[in-house]
Each structure stands twice: as C-alpha cells, then as structure tokens.
Amino acid sequence: MMAELKLSSKYPDSLRQIIQSALSERLHSIESGIKRTEERLQAFENKYQLSTEEFIIRFNNEELPHSFDFDEWIGESRMLAHLQETQEAVEEVKFVN
C-alpha cells in the first residue's frame, strides 16, 4: 500500500529542497550506521569463526552459552536489520509532483 503525504507552502520549491536535503542527510547517516554495524558483525564473525546467520541459529537452539559478546552480537544483528528497513523506507520516498 502506498501512502501519500500532501504539504502546502508559500514556497513549494524551497520546501521540496529542504525535504530532499533532509532525506539525503538521513540516508547518508543510515548508510554510515550500516557500515559501522557490518564492521562490528564482521569482527564477531572473525573472532568466533561463525557467520552471523549460523551464530543466531546456534544461539537460538541453545548450543551456545550466554555471554556479553553474544548479547552484543545479537544486538548488532538486530540493529543491522532495523537500519536496512529504515534505509529501504527512506529510499522509497518519491515526490509525486
């Protein structure tokens, strides 16, 4: 389902530029966050010689003990998913007119 948002302004071109700039800055921030999160995930993967996907499967099957590292790894994995969803939402914004 596609939602449409209507805004009115005495200066529509300026408003459009402001919104486009804000979306661009937000997207850049999200992309930076994704890069940092992926680097953190890679560090865990290297340290434990497991992919994040395999780690989560094994952790959820209670094959691995609880530890601060593992809690952090799960948190980073969830953060990456959240950032990717947010990135998709921002990239989907289109100007109708």
Side-chain angles (χ1 to χ4, degrees), residues 17-70:
Q17 280 185 311
I18 290 166
I19 294 170
Q20 285 177 322
S21 177
L23 288 171
S24 177
E25 288 174 22
R26 180 70 176 130
L27 190 56
H28 179 72
S29 173
I30 292 165
E31 289 167 347
S32 294
I34 287 172
K35 184 174 188 276
R36 284 190 308 273
T37 303
E38 288 175 337
E39 288 169 356
R40 290 183 192 122
L41 288 172
Q42 186 65 51
F44 284 119
E45 290 175 352
N46 292 341
K47 181 175 181 177
Y48 293 100
Q49 294 298 297
L50 278 175
S51 69
T52 296
E53 294 78 17
E54 181 66 22
F55 159 72
I56 290 171
I57 290 167
R58 291 182 62 189
F59 188 83
N60 287 339
N61 287 336
E62 299 182 8
E63 297 174 35
L64 301 169
H66 278 280
S67 74
F68 178 76
D69 267 5
F70 292 167

Side-chain angles (χ1 to χ4, degrees), residues 80-93:
L80 180 60
H82 171 74
L83 288 169
Q84 289 170 331
E85 288 171 13
T86 304
Q87 178 185 32
E88 185 178 324
V90 171
E91 288 175 339
E92 287 295 314
V93 172

